[in-house]
Amino acid sequence: MSADVRAIAARHLGRPVATDRVIRLAAGTDNVVYEVDGELIVRVAREPGDGEAVRREAALLAEVAELSPIPVPEPVFADPATGALAYRKLPGRPLNVHPVARPETLGAPLGELLAVLHRADPATPKTPAARATQAALAALAPPDDHPPAAWLEDAARDYEAIADHLDPAARRRVEGFLAAPHPPAPARRVFCHNDLGAEHLLVDPATGALTAVIDWTDAALTDPARDLALILRDLGPAAYDRTLAHYDAPWSAADHDRAAFYARAALLEDLAYGVRTGARVYAEAALAHLPHTFEA
């Protein structure tokens, strides 16, 4: 794959790229990520699929950069034929492999970010420039209407695959969750990152500061509780509470119930993925986060 990435980068940059200057950084469920020449990040889809998707994501990122108070990837090139997207390397390291001592300190910048994103409604009466950006996001982001009932069905299937990896106390917590009614569907949809897990938050290992938010592949018009859910799961209740303290957007007890519900379902999904693929970082994180996620 490194040779393919080298060829893609060389074609778009208009110059040769040495093989030893292409480093594989990470592999997720949808993409493989490479560093090129120490300064460019090239993310390649495992299944290129529809070329329009990568074009749309590049356009979406350009709009998000106009709104976000936190650095986000700004595309250098998109290659629809291969599903590749390149952007300048952002500072920081992924939070899931470089945990910070006090994750609650990330709550303030995350709350400010989500307040901006979740207010991205073209009907909001702001400046003409902001309205134009909001309208562009609404047009670029696809709807994601996966209902809570389907989330619960998916979680039950994931649990079947990983039950043997849980101790009796954890199994009781999970089985109680699966036996309970799912929350009602949300009343509103907003622009969301929609995969705001620790692996997509970059931090400065020395200071613990949030430096960037990456991988907007799943960005969508969906339930705002989706974004808060992964903060609860991966950063814990204190970070979740701090995020809400800086979240200048509507939030209710029903929103919290859905966030806790999504957090639990997403944890089971990550644990099943880690067990199935051998990706220990996902499985170990899920097991570590299970107690606070199922008590929220």
Side-chain angles (χ1 to χ4, degrees):
M1 176 64 82
S2 62
D4 295 338
V5 172
R6 188 184 68 205
I8 293 167
R11 184 168 67 251
H12 286 277
L13 298 176
R15 57 174 173 79
V17 175
T19 301
D20 62 359
R21 299 292 289 170
V22 178
I23 301 170
R24 177 169 162 152
L25 296 181
T29 55
D30 299 317
N31 302 293
V32 183
V33 182
Y34 299 85
E35 180 184 289
V36 175
D37 283 346
E39 61 182 26
L40 197 68
I41 300 298
V42 181
R43 195 202 71 209
V44 183
R46 290 186 180 276
E47 299 292 337
D50 178 10
E52 182 57 32
V54 74
R55 276 191 290 264
R56 183 176 62 243
E57 185 179 355
L60 184 147
L61 282 169
E63 299 294 342
V64 170
E66 293 294 320
L67 283 178
S68 177
I70 300 169
V72 301
E74 296 190 49
V76 173
F77 67 77
D79 191 282
T82 60
L85 181 68
Y87 58 89
R88 296 293 172 196
K89 187 176 180 180
L90 291 163
R93 296 289 183 268
L95 179 63
N96 65 324
V97 291
H98 294 274
V100 299
R102 298 182 58 224
E104 66 273 15
T105 60
L106 305 180
L110 287 171
E112 292 164 5
L113 169 68
L114 294 183
V116 170
L117 297 182
H118 294 177
R119 289 199 307 263
D121 178 346
T124 303
K126 294 185 178 180
T127 67
R131 282 198 297 272
T133 298
Q134 292 163 349
L137 285 174
L140 289 166
D144 182 347
D145 293 324
H146 201 58
W151 277 73
L152 194 59
E153 291 174 3
D154 293 343
R157 283 194 296 269
D158 289 331
Y159 178 61
E160 289 179 3
I162 52 88
D164 291 344
H165 295 264
L166 301 179
D167 62 34
R171 287 200 295 271
R172 285 193 296 272
R173 287 172 172 156
V174 174
E175 289 167 6
F177 161 68
L178 295 174
H182 62 75
R188 65 191 179 108
R189 291 188 316 200
V190 300
F191 178 77
C192 294
H193 180 283
N194 205 28
D195 194 12
L196 201 60
E199 68 273 23
H200 299 146
L201 304 178
L202 301 187
V203 295
D204 182 333
T207 66
L210 183 65
T211 59
V213 176
I214 61 171
D215 198 342
W216 295 72
T217 307
D218 294 320
L221 298 175
T222 192
D223 186 351
R226 300 270 193 96
D227 282 343
L228 274 297
L230 296 193
I231 294 172
L232 175 60
R233 183 195 70 181
D234 289 357
L235 277 67
Y240 171 82
D241 290 343
R242 182 76 67 88
T243 300
L244 286 175
H246 292 266
Y247 180 72
D248 182 20
W251 193 255
S252 67
D255 294 324
H256 169 75
D257 289 344
R258 292 196 316 281
F261 170 82
Y262 294 135
R264 293 164 185 164
L267 185 145
L268 295 176
E269 180 182 19
D270 266 18
L271 181 52
Y273 172 76
V275 168
R276 183 178 70 252
T277 65
R280 293 180 57 188
V281 66
Y282 287 92
E284 291 171 358
L287 290 172
H289 299 156
L290 192 149
H292 72 244
T293 301
F294 280 82
E295 290 175 358

